Amino acid sequence: MLTFSDVKGKFIKMGKILYRSTNRKSDLVTFKEAVLKGQPSDYGLFIPIEIPLIKKDEIDSFKNKQYYEIAFDLLSKFLEDDTPPENLFEIVKNAYNFEIPLKNIDENLYILYLDRGPTFSFKDFAARFMAGIMEYYAKQDNINLTVLVATSGDTGGAIANAFYEKDNVKVVILFPKDEITEIQRKQMTTLGKNIIPIALKGKFDDCQHLVKIAFNDPDLKNLTSANSINIARLLPQSIYYFYSFSRLNYEKICFSVPSGNFGNLMGGVIAKKMGLPVEKFIVAVNENDEFPNFLKTGVYKPVIPSKKCISNAMNVGHPSNLARLIDLYGGWIYDERKEDGKVIKFGILKEKPDMEKLKNDFVSFSITDEEVVKTIKEYYKKYKIILDPHGAVGICAYEKANLSYPVISIETAHPGKFSEVIKNILGFEPEIPEGLKNLILKQENYNILENNYKELKEFLMELK
Ligand SMILES: *Cc1c(COP(=O)(O)O)cnc(C)c1O
C-alpha cells in the first residue's frame, strides 16, 4: 500500500484511498473533494490512486447478500472517514430499493436488467447514490450546491429524479434541443422546484463542452458535475457487475456493455481491477466507432460531429471516460484547451496504453442502426423479449463476439422509453410502465439557450 504522510498540508492515514487526475498535474484529493469538485483543475478526470483488491471469500459472501449490502461493502472501501458507515448505509439502502432481474436467455447468454429504477434507465444506479452522497456533504458543510449536468438523453432524467426535493442542492440540466425523445425531455421538465432544465441549440457534445468550461470558470462558485465524469457516478457502477456475478455459478464471466461515454464500462473495469473474474468485456458501440477502430489500429480518432443513431444515449464521438480507461492501461489521453476554456485539440494520445493487454481484456464492435433493428426483430421472434435500442447494441455485439464463455449483456433502458422506435420495428407498442404513462400528462417547463458559453454563464450567475 502507498503511504501519504502529507498531502496539501493534511496528515492522511496510511491505507486511505485518494484521488488523482488523469492529466497528472492536479493535487491528490479525498473522495469528498473529488465528488464536490467534479473535475480536477488540469481538465483531467479523477481516478483512485489505487484500487482495493477484494478477496475471493468476500466475493463469495455476496451470494447471500442483498444488492444494497454489496453496495455498502464495496463503496466503504473507496470512501473517506468523512462519510460515516451508518450514513453510507442509509444512502445505499434508500438508493437501491427496486428490482434488478437477471434472466437466462440462452445457454451462454444472460440479460441483466438495469431498467427498473424510477426513470427506467441504468443511470438511476449512479444518480441515486450520487444524490444521496451530495446531499449529505452539502448539509455537512452547510453550503448550497449547484449540480450542472449535460445529458444525451437518459442522464438528465435520472439526475433530476434522484435530486428532486433533496436539501441544499439544485440541479441545472443541459440537453440537446432536438436530439432527445419527448419522454426523456419530460422526465426533466415536469418536476420543477430544485430542478432547472435547459434546451441547448446544439448537440450533446456541445452541452458537454459548455459544462466543462463552466467548471473551470472561477466566477462560478459551489458548482459540481453529475456527468459520468464525476467519481460518485462511476464507483456505484461497479456494484452490479459483482451483484450479477454473485447470482450465477461460474468461475469466469464476460459482460457485453452498450457504451457511449464509457461510464458503465469503467464501472466494470474497476470491478475487474478489484478482483472480479471477468474474462472479457464486449464494448458495444453504435455507429460512433472510434473505440473499435482504436483497438484495431492503435490510432485514436474521435468521431466529430458524433453520429445520430437510434440508441441516442450512446451518440458520443469522444467518450469522456476513455481518459480513465487508457490511464488504467498505462497510457495517456489528453484534452487541450485555451485559457478561455475553448477546446483546441482533444483526444490526443500522449502515451500509448498497453495495447496487448487492452486487446486481451476487450473486444469491441460498432453496430449499425440496421443491425439493431434486425436484432430487435430476431430476439422478439426467437425469445419473445423486447430489447430497447441500446440493449440491442449489446446483444448484437455479443452475437458478433461469439465467445466461448457465459456472457451477461446489460440492458440499459426500458423499451417503453422508446415506444415510437419499437413500434416502427415490431409493429406494436411495447408495454409502457406506469411511471412513464403518468408523465405524458404533466405540464412542462424549461429554458432554451443558444450554443454559446456567455449565455450559459449569465444564466448561471442569475440563479438564486
Ligand atoms: C447513458 C446510456 C448508455 C451509455 O452509457 P455510458 O456510461 O455513457 O457508456 C447506454 N444506454 C442507455 C440507455 C444510456 O442511458
Side-chain angles (χ1 to χ4, degrees):
M1 269 212 187
L2 294 162
T3 318
F4 291 91
S5 56
D6 191 50
V7 178
K8 292 202 311 190
K10 272 181 294 185
F11 186 72
I12 307 278
K13 271 188 293 190
M14 192 172 110
K16 281 199 177 171
I17 295 181
L18 295 173
Y19 295 78
R20 62 179 173 85
S21 167
T22 51
N23 274 354
R24 306 174 182 189
K25 283 194 199 121
S26 289
D27 290 333
L28 299 176
V29 298
T30 64
F31 181 77
K32 179 177 171 181
E33 287 166 333
V35 170
L36 295 180
K37 258 176 91 89
Q39 194 182 22
S41 40
D42 63 5
Y43 299 103
L45 299 175
F46 286 119
I47 192 159
I49 51 168
E50 66 180 313
I51 292 176
L53 199 62
I54 313 282
K55 294 205 180 79
K56 192 173 176 301
D57 291 2
E58 191 170 357
I59 297 178
D60 288 343
S61 77
F62 293 161
K63 286 193 188 316
N64 306 313
K65 288 187 175 170
Q66 301 286 320
Y67 189 91
Y68 68 85
E69 294 172 312
I70 300 173
F72 174 74
D73 286 0
L74 293 173
L75 291 170
S76 317
K77 298 179 200 301
F78 285 97
L79 271 60
E80 281 282 345
D81 286 351
D82 52 32
T83 320
E86 55 280 13
N87 296 87
L88 178 62
F89 190 79
E90 268 309 298
I91 290 167
V92 292
K93 197 165 182 204
N94 287 331
Y96 304 119
N97 57 1
F98 48 87
E99 57 162 349
I100 305 163
L102 177 64
K103 289 189 190 152
N104 185 212
I105 306 300
D106 210 340
E107 203 183 339
N108 256 345
L109 175 65
Y110 296 81
I111 295 184
L112 178 64
Y113 287 90
L114 301 183
D115 62 345
R116 307 295 156 96
T119 69
F120 309 97
S121 118
F122 94 101
K123 301 269 181 351
D124 287 328
F125 283 80
R128 291 174 68 75
F129 169 71
M130 184 181 205
I133 200 91
M134 279 197 177
E135 180 187 43
Y136 177 73
Y137 290 152
K139 280 183 177 167
Q140 192 183 41
D141 291 356
N142 198 19
I143 52 170
N144 285 307
L145 275 179
T146 300
V147 172
L148 179 63
V149 55
T151 182
S152 60
D154 284 341
T155 306
I159 295 289
N161 188 287
F163 279 88
Y164 181 58
E165 294 190 314
K166 288 258 185 272
D167 296 329
N168 296 42
V169 194
K170 61 176 160 315
V171 180
V172 178
I173 313 170
L174 259 79
F175 60 88
K177 190 169 160 291
D178 300 318
E179 279 190 18
I180 65 170
T181 66
E182 186 186 348
I183 287 183
Q184 285 175 328
R185 194 182 65 240
K186 285 195 169 168
Q187 283 184 321
M188 300 179 260
T189 58
T190 57
L191 291 163
K193 293 194 178 164
N194 62 331
I195 309 300
I196 304 148
I198 298 175
L200 190 84
K201 294 183 182 169
K203 288 178 165 286
F204 168 62
D205 290 342
D206 299 321
C207 298
Q208 213 170 18
H209 176 193
L210 293 192
V211 162
K212 283 186 185 171
I213 302 176
F215 287 130
N216 292 289
D217 187 333
D219 296 340
L220 300 170
K221 299 270 168 353
N222 287 336
L223 199 61
T224 191
S225 84
N227 275 100
S228 51
I229 62 175
N230 194 300
I231 194 76
R233 275 199 49 197
L234 196 60
L235 297 181
Q237 290 178 167
S238 60
I239 298 155
Y240 43 77
Y241 289 90
F242 280 96
Y243 170 80
S244 53
F245 177 79
S246 79
R247 264 47 190 176
L248 301 175
N249 263 315
Y250 295 108
E251 290 290 313
K252 283 187 168 181
I253 197 95
C254 299
F255 289 93
S256 184
V257 189
S259 295
N261 261 320
F262 285 24
N264 195 354
L265 182 71
M266 269 310 295
V269 172
I270 289 172
K272 183 177 164 73
K273 291 253 171 199
M274 288 168 94
L276 189 70
V278 181
E279 179 63 25
K280 259 192 199 349
F281 291 101
I282 303 168
V283 186
V285 298
N286 60 23
E287 292 171 31
N288 293 284
D289 57 359
E290 65 284 348
F291 188 71
N293 287 345
F294 173 62
L295 266 192
K296 210 181 299 161
T297 63
V299 178
Y300 181 66
K301 206 163 160 269
V303 176
I304 303 186
S306 56
K307 290 193 185 145
K308 246 182 170 174
C309 299
I310 52 175
S311 48
N312 71 358
M314 289 159 45
N315 292 344
V316 182
H318 174 43
S320 52
N321 277 290
L322 194 64
R324 286 186 172 119
L325 182 72
I326 296 302
D327 183 292
L328 286 185
Y329 281 81
W332 186 3
I333 276 196
Y334 188 79
D335 291 351
E336 201 175 294
R337 289 173 174 78
K338 281 192 204 158
E339 276 198 356
D340 64 359
K342 194 162 178 276
V343 179
I344 38 175
K345 291 180 198 155
F346 64 109
I348 303 157
L349 198 59
K350 277 206 168 193
E351 285 170 27
K352 228 177 180 181
D354 184 338
M355 291 305 289
E356 281 302 300
K357 206 154 166 249
L358 270 176
K359 284 184 188 170
N360 192 52
D361 293 353
F362 302 93
V363 286
S364 184
F365 297 94
S366 164
I367 307 299
T368 63
D369 276 357
E370 204 176 313
E371 290 171 312
V372 166
V373 169
K374 195 160 154 258
T375 305
I376 292 176
K377 281 186 179 156
E378 271 176 20
Y379 272 68
Y380 183 69
K381 196 161 162 221
K382 208 164 162 194
Y383 306 106
K384 288 279 169 282
I385 54 175
I386 304 177
L387 298 169
D388 98 292
H390 306 80
V393 172
I395 292 285
C396 188
Y398 147 80
E399 299 248 353
K400 289 198 174 190
N402 198 18
L403 302 173
S404 49
Y405 286 89
V407 175
I408 297 175
S409 192
I410 297 181
E411 180 52 288
T412 50
H414 195 287
K417 288 189 95 165
F418 304 91
S419 58
E420 274 299 302
V421 179
I422 300 296
K423 195 177 168 195
N424 286 337
I425 297 170
L426 293 177
F428 62 89
E429 276 192 19
E431 199 189 322
I432 314 270
E434 277 306 309
L436 284 183
K437 276 190 210 155
N438 300 336
L439 208 62
I440 311 280
L441 306 168
K442 289 191 183 157
Q443 177 72 35
E444 285 189 88
N445 256 315
Y446 60 97
N447 311 277
I448 301 175
L449 289 191
E450 294 296 330
N451 179 15
N452 77 56
Y453 180 63
K454 201 164 149 275
E455 267 202 39
L456 176 67
K457 183 170 177 175
E458 276 164 17
F459 184 90
L460 291 172
M461 301 284 281
E462 276 164 24
L463 277 183
K464 281 278 147 353

